[in-house]
Amino acid sequence: MSYKEECETFFQAHLKTTSRYVFTYKETMHMMDSDYMVIELLNASEEELWPVVKRMRAMEPSDKNVHQLLQHFAYIYVIGYRTNKG
């Protein structure tokens, strides 16, 4: 099973609700929806998905924990975008 398939299966089984993650980075408020983060993760390469899969395998798979993981990746996503943009 590929990492993408493993992620798809994991999210289908354990992500029961949607959520919006709101946080501030460098004095700018950001809002990211859980659905958007799942799509972005599933569009990542197999190499990029390895850290995601590693964390998923190590966690207790509850809706709350999955949202904490997605919020963590939303924050990283914004930092990466802002860093690459300048």
Side-chain angles (χ1 to χ4, degrees):
M1 179 183 300
S2 71
Y3 293 148
K4 179 178 180 170
E5 292 168 332
E6 188 171 345
C7 287
E8 287 175 332
T9 301
F10 181 86
F11 290 129
Q12 287 173 354
H14 303 294
L15 189 60
K16 303 298 181 192
T17 62
T18 58
S19 186
R20 175 167 289 161
Y21 314 122
V22 180
F23 54 92
T24 302
Y25 178 70
K26 291 194 175 182
E27 300 181 15
T28 301
M29 185 177 77
H30 298 273
M31 293 184 283
M32 308 271 293
D33 291 334
S34 55
D35 291 344
Y36 179 78
M37 285 310 305
V38 169
I39 290 167
E40 287 297 304
L41 287 170
L42 294 178
N43 285 327
S45 70
E46 288 290 300
E47 181 180 342
E48 292 168 325
L49 280 175
W50 169 238
V52 178
V53 169
K54 197 163 66 170
R55 282 190 169 85
M56 286 182 344
R57 289 176 180 172
M59 65 187 275
E60 177 68 34
S62 67
D63 191 58
K64 178 182 175 184
N65 290 345
V66 174
H67 280 296
Q68 287 176 341
L69 179 70
L70 289 173
Q71 185 171 11
H72 170 75
F73 283 116
Y75 192 76
I76 291 170
Y77 183 92
V78 167
I79 291 171
Y81 176 80
R82 296 280 305 260
T83 301
N84 290 330
K85 188 175 177 187

